[in-house]
Amino acid sequence: MTDTLVNLTVDPLGPHFGAEVRDLDLHRASDTDLAAVRAALVDRKVLFFADQRLDDDGQVRLGRRLGELTASHPVVGGVDAEHPEVYALDSADNGFADVWHTDVTFVARPPLGSILRAVTLPPSGGDTTWADSQLAYDSLAEPVRRLVDQLVAVHDGNREFGYYLAQRRGGRGSVWEGEVVTRLDPVEHPVVRVHPETGRRGIFVNPGFTSHIVGVSEAESRAILDLLYAHLTKPEHLVRHRWRPGDVAMWDNRSTAHYANRDYGTARRVVHRITLRGDRPRGPVDPWHGPETVRPPNHG
Ligand SMILES: O=C(O)CCC(=O)C(=O)O
Ligand SMILES: [Fe+2]
């Protein structure tokens, strides 16, 4: 069924998750249109907009109308000096995202959502797939839900991004939450995140950045994480997008994970992303009292 909200047509891609928003020029969208987009984003979790004409300026303007923008990335600079908010993933510059992840979960307040624009596409391939972490949580058996509700995990950006921080301006990254990032201290988040706008629970661990579960053995941590990752990425929980020029995707990082196929050989693929500032993830054990950062033992 297609819902028409104001002048916005939201065409679901499945019973629960994903939608194409039709007949909306993001460049000219009214405040009412964008309020409807914002509501559809929380409801459908990933939205696609075809035939858009955004450039970096337009993408940043759109993002500012939807929320507060973050820097491009905590440790990777913007696409150019004029666009410190725009994060470019360029295959020619080793920009790939072929590991399941939710954006930037290795900081205390990961971005609420991301807006991604196709800039250069390979002749074929380079599809992106999203997983619905709330649908996945809901379809776990009840005793497993009870177990994971209580768990806390460590997220560590050093493996993926430590190198970039070391290379950049003498180890000085972006300004994130008002502070220059000079190190990526691992952070703790609940394994199950309660969505701040809907109260729905979702699996909030990802192979890109989650290092381990707190308070269990390494073998237990590995087994629980593997179970959650296999479950999260079951086909029933996924939507896959085949990119076309002019496409824009927008997703809610509080309820999804994603993966970009690296199957296009030496062809070039460039996408530009902006991220909306988010809040501190909360778990179902309410309130979740955890330290903001976990320091390795040698930091005392
Ligand atoms: O390249 C893509 O399609 C997705 C890249 C990605 O992970 C991101 O923009 O957050
Ligand atoms: Fe991503």
Side-chain angles (χ1 to χ4, degrees):
M1 203 199 308
T2 297
D3 289 332
T4 303
L5 299 163
V6 203
N7 47 349
L8 197 71
T9 308
V10 178
D11 198 359
L13 294 170
H16 306 283
F17 174 45
E20 182 157 343
V21 178
R22 297 195 194 281
D23 308 321
L24 180 67
D25 181 349
L26 288 170
H27 210 56
R28 295 164 183 267
S30 66
D31 289 346
T32 317
D33 291 331
L34 291 188
V37 165
R38 191 68 180 63
L41 178 68
V42 171
D43 181 39
R44 300 306 302 189
K45 303 164 197 172
V46 57
L47 303 176
F48 302 99
F49 305 82
D51 300 320
Q52 301 298 318
R53 297 166 299 130
L54 297 176
D55 54 12
D56 289 326
D57 284 336
Q59 191 173 1
V60 167
R61 259 198 310 275
L62 171 69
R64 289 203 181 121
R65 295 181 67 200
L66 285 164
E68 193 181 330
L69 291 186
T70 67
S72 57
H73 186 276
V75 305
V76 183
V79 64
D80 56 36
E82 288 71 46
H83 302 98
E85 309 91 347
V86 177
Y87 178 49
L89 266 125
D90 182 343
S91 61
D93 192 26
N94 211 28
F96 301 103
D98 55 338
V99 176
W100 279 102
H101 67 282
T102 298
D103 293 330
V104 198
T105 63
F106 52 88
V107 298
R109 290 178 187 76
L112 167 165
S114 303
I115 304 170
L116 187 69
R117 175 168 67 90
V119 176
T120 303
L121 294 174
S124 68
D127 293 3
T128 308
T129 303
W130 283 262
D132 182 336
S133 63
Q134 296 177 337
L135 199 54
Y137 174 84
D138 290 346
S139 64
L140 287 168
E142 199 270 337
V144 179
R145 271 182 272 148
R146 259 190 288 141
L147 167 68
V148 297
D149 276 353
Q150 303 165 52
L151 299 175
V152 168
V154 174
H155 295 238
D156 185 347
N158 284 294
R159 189 187 52 196
E160 293 278 336
F161 291 108
Y163 169 83
Y164 289 89
L165 182 58
Q167 295 301 306
R168 190 171 167 210
R169 301 187 306 200
R172 289 172 69 77
S174 306
V175 175
W176 194 272
E177 294 291 332
E179 283 181 34
V180 177
V181 177
T182 55
R183 41 198 255 180
L184 292 173
D185 288 331
V187 296
E188 287 188 352
H189 294 307
V191 166
V192 173
R193 183 170 191 178
V194 177
H195 195 288
E197 296 184 54
T198 63
R200 281 192 68 183
R201 298 178 187 191
I203 295 170
F204 195 65
V205 284
N206 68 84
F209 305 124
T210 306
S211 60
H212 63 280
I213 293 177
V214 175
V216 302
S217 72
E218 201 178 319
E220 289 163 335
S221 170
R222 186 73 271 142
I224 294 167
L225 290 174
D226 284 347
L227 178 145
L228 291 175
Y229 298 156
H231 186 73
L232 177 65
T233 56
K234 278 176 74 174
E236 298 87 320
H237 305 147
L238 307 181
V239 297
R240 174 166 169 162
H241 185 66
R242 183 173 162 197
W243 292 92
R244 303 175 71 101
D247 280 353
V248 170
M250 200 181 282
W251 61 91
D252 188 334
N253 277 309
R254 302 165 298 183
S255 53
T256 59
H258 56 279
Y259 180 107
N261 285 5
R262 183 177 173 179
D263 57 355
Y264 42 88
T266 55
R268 185 117 183 253
R269 180 180 185 278
V270 183
V271 290
H272 285 187
R273 183 184 87 188
I274 54 172
T275 41
L276 304 176
R277 184 178 179 208
D279 62 353
R280 176 137 180 248
R282 294 286 162 194
V285 180
D286 186 36
W288 178 66
H289 298 292
E292 291 253 320
T293 59
V294 190
R295 293 181 198 283
N298 61 346
H299 284 272

